[in-house]
Amino acid sequence: MSAVSTRPGTPSAPAPAPARRDAEATKAAILKAARYLLARHAHADITLKDVAERAGVSAPLILKYFGNKDSLFARVMSFDTDAAALLDAPLEELGRHMVRHVLESQRDRGADPLLRIVFAPLHGDHGDVLRANFRAHVVDALAARLPGPDPDLRAELAVAQLIGLGVMYGIARGPKLRDCAAADIGDIADRYGPAVQAQLTP
């Protein structure tokens, strides 16, 4: 039996995975940049060049991945992926999980999963899209999981508590809260989680 030989340094098979990871990382950077800008500027005032500069990419690359500005911001104005992660816990543990998720997202990614809704008034008609997506993806999805009376109201109250936490941490930048979050998010979740949980399982 003869051995099959290859020249040194010649790969035996193509390895496309790293390029795919690079593409996914680039898309994530673009979306993160667009979310950041949308939380601070009116939709009409944001250009693809602004997004590209913040993401560290070229504007044509944004067009390649997302098509145009409207398609990009349609993704940014969706809460479905963020909501899936936010609500990914058993109901009896959900309050604490959501508190942790809000704080960890801000600490680790610089992006609150809910806080974009606070800036809806900046965006005119696009703000209406943001509100509709927020209600469908976050509030209504949470309400659908709640047993007992008034699930819609309780879902709104629970989400309001999370938004308040996000505002204090990410916008008002409460120093005590941020110091605690840097040291131990679990401690904050232990303190704040039960208040959120009280709306979920009264």
Side-chain angles (χ1 to χ4, degrees), residues 89-95 98 139-156 158 196-202:
L91 183 61
E92 62 273 14
E93 302 169 12
L94 190 55
M98 291 195 295
V139 181
D140 291 349
L142 177 58
R145 294 190 58 186
L146 302 186
D150 302 317
D152 296 321
L153 174 60
R154 287 160 44 217
E156 289 185 3
V196 178
Q197 190 67 39
Q199 299 302 331
L200 308 181
T201 51

Side-chain angles (χ1 to χ4, degrees), residues 62-201:
I62 297 177
L63 295 176
K64 173 185 174 182
Y65 288 137
F66 295 98
N68 55 40
K69 177 182 170 179
D70 287 342
S71 296
L72 170 63
F73 279 95
R75 286 279 300 275
V76 172
M77 289 185 180
S78 173
F79 290 86
D80 55 351
T81 301
D82 288 325
L86 180 74
L87 302 178
D88 186 22
L91 183 61
E92 62 273 14
E93 302 169 12
L94 190 55
R96 190 176 190 280
H97 166 79
M98 291 195 295
V99 170
R100 285 193 69 103
H101 185 68
V102 164
L103 294 175
E104 287 174 349
S105 295
Q106 290 217 31
R107 182 194 66 188
D108 299 339
R109 297 189 293 124
D112 188 294
L114 303 178
L115 213 51
R116 280 168 285 153
I117 194 61
V118 174
F119 302 95
L122 286 174
H123 304 303
D125 291 343
H126 289 90
D128 293 336
V129 174
L130 200 62
R131 290 185 190 95
N133 288 343
F134 183 79
R135 171 160 291 282
H137 299 157
V138 179
V139 181
D140 291 349
L142 177 58
R145 294 190 58 186
L146 302 186
D150 302 317
D152 296 321
L153 174 60
R154 287 160 44 217
E156 289 185 3
L157 291 172
V159 171
Q161 289 171 300
L162 295 171
I163 292 173
L165 178 65
V167 168
M168 180 55 74
Y169 183 91
I171 297 177
R173 297 183 177 272
K176 297 297 185 184
L177 176 60
R178 291 177 71 85
D179 286 348
C180 288
D184 186 7
I185 284 177
D187 180 58
I188 298 173
D190 288 341
R191 291 170 179 265
Y192 202 77
V196 178
Q197 190 67 39
Q199 299 302 331
L200 308 181
T201 51

